PDB file of all heavy atoms in Angstrom:
ATOM      1  N   VAL W 227     163.697 105.104 134.530  1.00 54.00           N
ATOM      2  CA  VAL W 227     163.290 106.338 133.932  1.00 54.00           C
ATOM      3  C   VAL W 227     164.052 107.477 134.625  1.00 54.00           C
ATOM      4  O   VAL W 227     164.035 107.581 135.849  1.00 54.00           O
ATOM      5  CB  VAL W 227     161.771 106.533 134.088  1.00 54.00           C
ATOM      6  CG1 VAL W 227     161.347 107.889 133.503  1.00 54.00           C
ATOM      7  CG2 VAL W 227     161.033 105.414 133.399  1.00 54.00           C
ATOM      8  N   GLU W 228     164.695 108.287 133.856  1.00 74.00           N
ATOM      9  CA  GLU W 228     165.501 109.387 134.430  1.00 74.00           C
ATOM     10  C   GLU W 228     164.564 110.491 134.912  1.00 74.00           C
ATOM     11  O   GLU W 228     163.575 110.826 134.287  1.00 74.00           O
ATOM     12  CB  GLU W 228     166.424 109.935 133.358  1.00 74.00           C
ATOM     13  CG  GLU W 228     167.587 109.021 133.018  1.00 74.00           C
ATOM     14  CD  GLU W 228     168.611 108.963 134.133  1.00 74.00           C
ATOM     15  OE1 GLU W 228     168.619 109.853 134.993  1.00 74.00           O
ATOM     16  OE2 GLU W 228     169.401 108.017 134.159  1.00 74.00           O
ATOM     17  N   GLY W 229     164.884 111.047 136.070  1.00 86.00           N
ATOM     18  CA  GLY W 229     164.143 112.179 136.569  1.00 86.00           C
ATOM     19  C   GLY W 229     164.705 113.461 135.954  1.00 86.00           C
ATOM     20  O   GLY W 229     165.662 113.427 135.185  1.00 86.00           O
ATOM     21  N   PRO W 230     164.114 114.594 136.276  1.00 92.00           N
ATOM     22  CA  PRO W 230     164.617 115.862 135.745  1.00 92.00           C
ATOM     23  C   PRO W 230     165.966 116.232 136.343  1.00 92.00           C
ATOM     24  O   PRO W 230     166.357 115.689 137.384  1.00 92.00           O
ATOM     25  CB  PRO W 230     163.533 116.857 136.167  1.00 92.00           C
ATOM     26  CG  PRO W 230     162.954 116.280 137.413  1.00 92.00           C
ATOM     27  CD  PRO W 230     162.998 114.776 137.202  1.00 92.00           C
ATOM     28  N   THR W 231     166.664 117.127 135.690  1.00 91.00           N
ATOM     29  CA  THR W 231     167.931 117.613 136.216  1.00 91.00           C
ATOM     30  C   THR W 231     167.681 118.508 137.424  1.00 91.00           C
ATOM     31  O   THR W 231     166.891 119.459 137.359  1.00 91.00           O
ATOM     32  CB  THR W 231     168.687 118.416 135.139  1.00 91.00           C
ATOM     33  OG1 THR W 231     168.985 117.557 134.049  1.00 91.00           O
ATOM     34  CG2 THR W 231     170.000 118.968 135.709  1.00 91.00           C
ATOM     35  N   ILE W 232     168.317 118.155 138.503  1.00 94.00           N
ATOM     36  CA  ILE W 232     168.165 118.919 139.764  1.00 94.00           C
ATOM     37  C   ILE W 232     169.555 119.462 140.129  1.00 94.00           C
ATOM     38  O   ILE W 232     170.534 118.736 140.079  1.00 94.00           O
ATOM     39  CB  ILE W 232     167.673 118.022 140.907  1.00 94.00           C
ATOM     40  CG1 ILE W 232     166.383 117.319 140.566  1.00 94.00           C
ATOM     41  CG2 ILE W 232     167.505 118.856 142.194  1.00 94.00           C
ATOM     42  CD1 ILE W 232     165.160 118.192 140.419  1.00 94.00           C
ATOM     43  N   THR W 233     169.620 120.724 140.507  1.00 93.00           N
ATOM     44  CA  THR W 233     170.868 121.275 141.058  1.00 93.00           C
ATOM     45  C   THR W 233     170.691 121.415 142.569  1.00 93.00           C
ATOM     46  O   THR W 233     169.697 121.982 143.039  1.00 93.00           O
ATOM     47  CB  THR W 233     171.194 122.635 140.441  1.00 93.00           C
ATOM     48  OG1 THR W 233     171.510 122.425 139.066  1.00 93.00           O
ATOM     49  CG2 THR W 233     172.383 123.269 141.137  1.00 93.00           C
ATOM     50  N   THR W 234     171.633 120.891 143.335  1.00 94.00           N
ATOM     51  CA  THR W 234     171.556 120.931 144.793  1.00 94.00           C
ATOM     52  C   THR W 234     172.756 121.690 145.343  1.00 94.00           C
ATOM     53  O   THR W 234     173.908 121.304 145.079  1.00 94.00           O
ATOM     54  CB  THR W 234     171.501 119.518 145.404  1.00 94.00           C
ATOM     55  OG1 THR W 234     170.453 118.785 144.787  1.00 94.00           O
ATOM     56  CG2 THR W 234     171.279 119.583 146.897  1.00 94.00           C
ATOM     57  N   LEU W 235     172.502 122.757 146.048  1.00 95.00           N
ATOM     58  CA  LEU W 235     173.512 123.553 146.722  1.00 95.00           C
ATOM     59  C   LEU W 235     173.469 123.248 148.215  1.00 95.00           C
ATOM     60  O   LEU W 235     172.463 122.754 148.742  1.00 95.00           O
ATOM     61  CB  LEU W 235     173.292 125.041 146.488  1.00 95.00           C
ATOM     62  CG  LEU W 235     173.068 125.500 145.049  1.00 95.00           C
ATOM     63  CD1 LEU W 235     172.732 126.965 144.999  1.00 95.00           C
ATOM     64  CD2 LEU W 235     174.308 125.221 144.209  1.00 95.00           C
ATOM     65  N   LYS W 236     174.546 123.578 148.905  1.00 95.00           N
ATOM     66  CA  LYS W 236     174.559 123.416 150.379  1.00 95.00           C
ATOM     67  C   LYS W 236     175.047 124.702 151.020  1.00 95.00           C
ATOM     68  O   LYS W 236     176.190 124.827 151.452  1.00 95.00           O
ATOM     69  CB  LYS W 236     175.448 122.238 150.792  1.00 95.00           C
ATOM     70  CG  LYS W 236     175.295 121.860 152.271  1.00 95.00           C
ATOM     71  CD  LYS W 236     176.016 120.578 152.591  1.00 95.00           C
ATOM     72  CE  LYS W 236     175.979 120.242 154.089  1.00 95.00           C
ATOM     73  NZ  LYS W 236     174.590 120.140 154.603  1.00 95.00           N
ATOM     74  N   PRO W 237     174.169 125.706 151.133  1.00 94.00           N
ATOM     75  CA  PRO W 237     174.577 126.986 151.723  1.00 94.00           C
ATOM     76  C   PRO W 237     174.601 126.990 153.226  1.00 94.00           C
ATOM     77  O   PRO W 237     175.166 127.895 153.844  1.00 94.00           O
ATOM     78  CB  PRO W 237     173.513 127.955 151.178  1.00 94.00           C
ATOM     79  CG  PRO W 237     172.306 127.117 150.989  1.00 94.00           C
ATOM     80  CD  PRO W 237     172.802 125.750 150.570  1.00 94.00           C
ATOM     81  N   HIS W 238     173.967 125.973 153.872  1.00 95.00           N
ATOM     82  CA  HIS W 238     173.877 125.935 155.334  1.00 95.00           C
ATOM     83  C   HIS W 238     174.372 124.570 155.846  1.00 95.00           C
ATOM     84  O   HIS W 238     174.399 123.582 155.095  1.00 95.00           O
ATOM     85  CB  HIS W 238     172.471 126.194 155.811  1.00 95.00           C
ATOM     86  CG  HIS W 238     171.966 127.585 155.533  1.00 95.00           C
ATOM     87  ND1 HIS W 238     172.287 128.675 156.306  1.00 95.00           N
ATOM     88  CD2 HIS W 238     171.191 128.079 154.528  1.00 95.00           C
ATOM     89  CE1 HIS W 238     171.717 129.747 155.817  1.00 95.00           C
ATOM     90  NE2 HIS W 238     171.050 129.409 154.739  1.00 95.00           N
ATOM     91  N   THR W 239     174.703 124.528 157.132  1.00 94.00           N
ATOM     92  CA  THR W 239     175.161 123.270 157.741  1.00 94.00           C
ATOM     93  C   THR W 239     174.033 122.539 158.490  1.00 94.00           C
ATOM     94  O   THR W 239     174.192 121.398 158.850  1.00 94.00           O
ATOM     95  CB  THR W 239     176.313 123.530 158.721  1.00 94.00           C
ATOM     96  OG1 THR W 239     175.877 124.415 159.760  1.00 94.00           O
ATOM     97  CG2 THR W 239     177.495 124.159 158.010  1.00 94.00           C
ATOM     98  N   ARG W 240     172.915 123.238 158.682  1.00 95.00           N
ATOM     99  CA  ARG W 240     171.759 122.621 159.366  1.00 95.00           C
ATOM    100  C   ARG W 240     170.484 122.986 158.609  1.00 95.00           C
ATOM    101  O   ARG W 240     170.529 123.624 157.557  1.00 95.00           O
ATOM    102  CB  ARG W 240     171.707 123.082 160.831  1.00 95.00           C
ATOM    103  CG  ARG W 240     172.909 122.604 161.657  1.00 95.00           C
ATOM    104  CD  ARG W 240     172.931 123.227 163.036  1.00 95.00           C
ATOM    105  NE  ARG W 240     171.811 122.804 163.865  1.00 95.00           N
ATOM    106  CZ  ARG W 240     171.569 123.306 165.079  1.00 95.00           C
ATOM    107  NH1 ARG W 240     172.346 124.243 165.589  1.00 95.00           N
ATOM    108  NH2 ARG W 240     170.524 122.881 165.755  1.00 95.00           N
ATOM    109  N   THR W 241     169.346 122.586 159.148  1.00 96.00           N
ATOM    110  CA  THR W 241     168.049 122.711 158.489  1.00 96.00           C
ATOM    111  C   THR W 241     167.779 124.123 157.938  1.00 96.00           C
ATOM    112  O   THR W 241     167.945 125.112 158.639  1.00 96.00           O
ATOM    113  CB  THR W 241     166.925 122.361 159.481  1.00 96.00           C
ATOM    114  OG1 THR W 241     167.130 121.041 159.967  1.00 96.00           O
ATOM    115  CG2 THR W 241     165.540 122.463 158.805  1.00 96.00           C
ATOM    116  N   ILE W 242     167.373 124.189 156.661  1.00 97.00           N
ATOM    117  CA  ILE W 242     166.832 125.417 156.092  1.00 97.00           C
ATOM    118  C   ILE W 242     165.351 125.462 156.437  1.00 97.00           C
ATOM    119  O   ILE W 242     164.549 124.755 155.812  1.00 97.00           O
ATOM    120  CB  ILE W 242     167.061 125.501 154.595  1.00 97.00           C
ATOM    121  CG1 ILE W 242     168.563 125.484 154.276  1.00 97.00           C
ATOM    122  CG2 ILE W 242     166.397 126.757 154.004  1.00 97.00           C
ATOM    123  CD1 ILE W 242     168.867 125.479 152.787  1.00 97.00           C
ATOM    124  N   HIS W 243     164.998 126.254 157.427  1.00 96.00           N
ATOM    125  CA  HIS W 243     163.616 126.253 157.891  1.00 96.00           C
ATOM    126  C   HIS W 243     162.686 127.076 156.998  1.00 96.00           C
ATOM    127  O   HIS W 243     161.526 126.773 156.849  1.00 96.00           O
ATOM    128  CB  HIS W 243     163.544 126.774 159.336  1.00 96.00           C
ATOM    129  CG  HIS W 243     162.195 126.599 159.970  1.00 96.00           C
ATOM    130  ND1 HIS W 243     161.158 127.478 159.814  1.00 96.00           N
ATOM    131  CD2 HIS W 243     161.705 125.601 160.770  1.00 96.00           C
ATOM    132  CE1 HIS W 243     160.092 127.053 160.465  1.00 96.00           C
ATOM    133  NE2 HIS W 243     160.401 125.908 161.071  1.00 96.00           N
ATOM    134  N   THR W 244     163.247 128.134 156.413  1.00 96.00           N
ATOM    135  CA  THR W 244     162.444 129.005 155.558  1.00 96.00           C
ATOM    136  C   THR W 244     163.350 129.781 154.627  1.00 96.00           C
ATOM    137  O   THR W 244     164.539 129.973 154.905  1.00 96.00           O
ATOM    138  CB  THR W 244     161.602 129.966 156.407  1.00 96.00           C
ATOM    139  OG1 THR W 244     160.710 130.704 155.567  1.00 96.00           O
ATOM    140  CG2 THR W 244     162.467 130.927 157.170  1.00 96.00           C
ATOM    141  N   PHE W 245     162.781 130.217 153.528  1.00 95.00           N
ATOM    142  CA  PHE W 245     163.492 131.145 152.633  1.00 95.00           C
ATOM    143  C   PHE W 245     162.466 132.053 151.963  1.00 95.00           C
ATOM    144  O   PHE W 245     161.267 131.769 151.926  1.00 95.00           O
ATOM    145  CB  PHE W 245     164.355 130.410 151.606  1.00 95.00           C
ATOM    146  CG  PHE W 245     163.621 129.476 150.703  1.00 95.00           C
ATOM    147  CD1 PHE W 245     162.956 129.947 149.559  1.00 95.00           C
ATOM    148  CD2 PHE W 245     163.591 128.115 150.955  1.00 95.00           C
ATOM    149  CE1 PHE W 245     162.292 129.067 148.725  1.00 95.00           C
ATOM    150  CE2 PHE W 245     162.925 127.229 150.126  1.00 95.00           C
ATOM    151  CZ  PHE W 245     162.264 127.728 148.995  1.00 95.00           C
ATOM    152  N   GLN W 246     162.942 133.175 151.434  1.00 96.00           N
ATOM    153  CA  GLN W 246     162.069 134.135 150.769  1.00 96.00           C
ATOM    154  C   GLN W 246     162.761 134.713 149.540  1.00 96.00           C
ATOM    155  O   GLN W 246     163.956 135.063 149.600  1.00 96.00           O
ATOM    156  CB  GLN W 246     161.678 135.268 151.712  1.00 96.00           C
ATOM    157  CG  GLN W 246     160.720 136.274 151.076  1.00 96.00           C
ATOM    158  CD  GLN W 246     160.520 137.546 151.879  1.00 96.00           C
ATOM    159  OE1 GLN W 246     161.285 137.816 152.804  1.00 96.00           O
ATOM    160  NE2 GLN W 246     159.511 138.332 151.540  1.00 96.00           N
ATOM    161  N   PHE W 247     162.000 134.825 148.459  1.00 96.00           N
ATOM    162  CA  PHE W 247     162.479 135.545 147.309  1.00 96.00           C
ATOM    163  C   PHE W 247     162.290 137.020 147.572  1.00 96.00           C
ATOM    164  O   PHE W 247     161.203 137.456 147.998  1.00 96.00           O
ATOM    165  CB  PHE W 247     161.697 135.124 146.044  1.00 96.00           C
ATOM    166  CG  PHE W 247     161.839 133.666 145.733  1.00 96.00           C
ATOM    167  CD1 PHE W 247     160.830 132.773 146.069  1.00 96.00           C
ATOM    168  CD2 PHE W 247     162.970 133.181 145.110  1.00 96.00           C
ATOM    169  CE1 PHE W 247     160.953 131.420 145.791  1.00 96.00           C
ATOM    170  CE2 PHE W 247     163.100 131.842 144.819  1.00 96.00           C
ATOM    171  CZ  PHE W 247     162.084 130.953 145.167  1.00 96.00           C
ATOM    172  N   SER W 248     163.338 137.803 147.373  1.00 96.00           N
ATOM    173  CA  SER W 248     163.270 139.200 147.701  1.00 96.00           C
ATOM    174  C   SER W 248     162.188 139.901 146.904  1.00 96.00           C
ATOM    175  O   SER W 248     162.108 139.749 145.670  1.00 96.00           O
ATOM    176  CB  SER W 248     164.622 139.864 147.428  1.00 96.00           C
ATOM    177  OG  SER W 248     164.499 141.289 147.556  1.00 96.00           O
ATOM    178  N   PRO W 249     161.352 140.734 147.525  1.00 94.00           N
ATOM    179  CA  PRO W 249     160.346 141.505 146.769  1.00 94.00           C
ATOM    180  C   PRO W 249     160.964 142.665 146.004  1.00 94.00           C
ATOM    181  O   PRO W 249     160.268 143.320 145.268  1.00 94.00           O
ATOM    182  CB  PRO W 249     159.396 142.000 147.876  1.00 94.00           C
ATOM    183  CG  PRO W 249     160.218 142.014 149.118  1.00 94.00           C
ATOM    184  CD  PRO W 249     161.209 140.895 149.000  1.00 94.00           C
ATOM    185  N   HIS W 250     162.264 142.858 146.212  1.00 95.00           N
ATOM    186  CA  HIS W 250     162.947 144.003 145.557  1.00 95.00           C
ATOM    187  C   HIS W 250     163.946 143.568 144.488  1.00 95.00           C
ATOM    188  O   HIS W 250     164.399 144.412 143.702  1.00 95.00           O
ATOM    189  CB  HIS W 250     163.717 144.815 146.643  1.00 95.00           C
ATOM    190  CG  HIS W 250     162.857 145.195 147.811  1.00 95.00           C
ATOM    191  ND1 HIS W 250     161.998 146.288 147.803  1.00 95.00           N
ATOM    192  CD2 HIS W 250     162.684 144.600 149.025  1.00 95.00           C
ATOM    193  CE1 HIS W 250     161.382 146.353 148.958  1.00 95.00           C
ATOM    194  NE2 HIS W 250     161.776 145.346 149.728  1.00 95.00           N
ATOM    195  N   ASP W 251     164.295 142.310 144.441  1.00 94.00           N
ATOM    196  CA  ASP W 251     165.314 141.817 143.498  1.00 94.00           C
ATOM    197  C   ASP W 251     164.998 140.369 143.159  1.00 94.00           C
ATOM    198  O   ASP W 251     165.131 139.467 144.001  1.00 94.00           O
ATOM    199  CB  ASP W 251     166.708 141.932 144.132  1.00 94.00           C
ATOM    200  CG  ASP W 251     167.816 141.448 143.196  1.00 94.00           C
ATOM    201  OD1 ASP W 251     167.525 141.043 142.050  1.00 94.00           O
ATOM    202  OD2 ASP W 251     168.989 141.504 143.616  1.00 94.00           O
ATOM    203  N   SER W 252     164.620 140.128 141.904  1.00 91.00           N
ATOM    204  CA  SER W 252     164.218 138.758 141.514  1.00 91.00           C
ATOM    205  C   SER W 252     165.366 137.786 141.496  1.00 91.00           C
ATOM    206  O   SER W 252     165.154 136.570 141.454  1.00 91.00           O
ATOM    207  CB  SER W 252     163.573 138.802 140.106  1.00 91.00           C
ATOM    208  OG  SER W 252     164.487 139.276 139.142  1.00 91.00           O
ATOM    209  N   ASN W 253     166.601 138.279 141.584  1.00 94.00           N
ATOM    210  CA  ASN W 253     167.769 137.382 141.600  1.00 94.00           C
ATOM    211  C   ASN W 253     168.241 137.060 143.006  1.00 94.00           C
ATOM    212  O   ASN W 253     169.232 136.351 143.182  1.00 94.00           O
ATOM    213  CB  ASN W 253     168.920 138.016 140.825  1.00 94.00           C
ATOM    214  CG  ASN W 253     168.755 137.921 139.320  1.00 94.00           C
ATOM    215  OD1 ASN W 253     168.371 136.864 138.812  1.00 94.00           O
ATOM    216  ND2 ASN W 253     169.012 139.001 138.606  1.00 94.00           N
ATOM    217  N   ALA W 254     167.544 137.554 144.025  1.00 95.00           N
ATOM    218  CA  ALA W 254     167.982 137.373 145.399  1.00 95.00           C
ATOM    219  C   ALA W 254     167.031 136.427 146.140  1.00 95.00           C
ATOM    220  O   ALA W 254     165.815 136.603 146.124  1.00 95.00           O
ATOM    221  CB  ALA W 254     168.076 138.711 146.137  1.00 95.00           C
ATOM    222  N   VAL W 255     167.644 135.412 146.802  1.00 96.00           N
ATOM    223  CA  VAL W 255     166.901 134.506 147.674  1.00 96.00           C
ATOM    224  C   VAL W 255     167.569 134.554 149.045  1.00 96.00           C
ATOM    225  O   VAL W 255     168.779 134.350 149.169  1.00 96.00           O
ATOM    226  CB  VAL W 255     166.943 133.063 147.134  1.00 96.00           C
ATOM    227  CG1 VAL W 255     166.100 132.136 148.017  1.00 96.00           C
ATOM    228  CG2 VAL W 255     166.447 132.991 145.704  1.00 96.00           C
TER     229      VAL W 255
END
Side-chain angles (χ1 to χ4, degrees):
V227 178
E228 288 288 343
T231 298
I232 307 290
T233 292
T234 306
L235 310 175
K236 190 172 176 58
H238 294 279
T239 60
R240 295 171 65 186
T241 302
I242 297 177
H243 190 276
T244 186
F245 59 82
Q246 182 191 15
F247 299 100
S248 171
H250 309 278
D251 180 0
S252 61
N253 283 316
V255 182

